[in-house]
Amino acid sequence: MTIENHNLHNEFPEMGDQIRALKMKDRHFARLFDEYHDVDREVRRIEEEVEPASDERLEGLKIRRLHLKDDLYAMLKEA
């Protein structure tokens, strides 16, 4: 099974400069960015079967990751 890389730079490659700039100047963006990557890392560990979790836990994490990505994208579009 191939596991997709949901790193924010992979999700929005055309916004790399904006991502870097917002991480430096917007603490809220930086906090959400870090949370997004923490959640993504946990999802990947579960999908790679490094860490056990219920289907409900995995789905909850994926939903959280999606909401964070939506919030981050909205902030990037405003910048």
Side-chain angles (χ1 to χ4, degrees):
M1 174 170 85
T2 302
I3 298 172
E4 291 183 45
N5 185 346
H6 289 276
N7 179 292
L8 207 59
H9 289 281
N10 289 347
E11 294 289 315
F12 308 120
E14 70 284 358
M15 296 180 158
D17 292 338
Q18 291 144 298
I19 292 170
R20 282 185 285 282
L22 275 177
K23 279 176 44 181
M24 299 301 289
K25 72 177 186 176
D26 187 327
R27 294 177 84 175
H28 180 66
F29 181 89
R31 185 184 62 76
L32 291 179
F33 179 90
D34 290 342
E35 183 179 351
Y36 175 86
H37 285 285
D38 289 344
V39 171
D40 183 54
R41 193 172 306 114
E42 190 170 350
V43 168
R44 289 179 59 85
R45 288 179 56 80
I46 293 168
E47 289 178 338
E48 292 169 349
E49 299 179 352
V50 172
E51 185 175 311
S54 67
D55 289 343
E56 293 82 16
R57 172 78 176 138
L58 179 58
E59 287 307 309
L61 288 167
K62 286 181 175 183
I63 290 168
R64 179 67 185 144
R65 178 176 65 186
L66 181 61
H67 288 281
L68 287 164
K69 183 167 77 171
D70 288 345
D71 291 345
L72 290 163
Y73 181 70
M75 294 173 79
L76 285 164
K77 281 184 63 174
E78 287 179 19

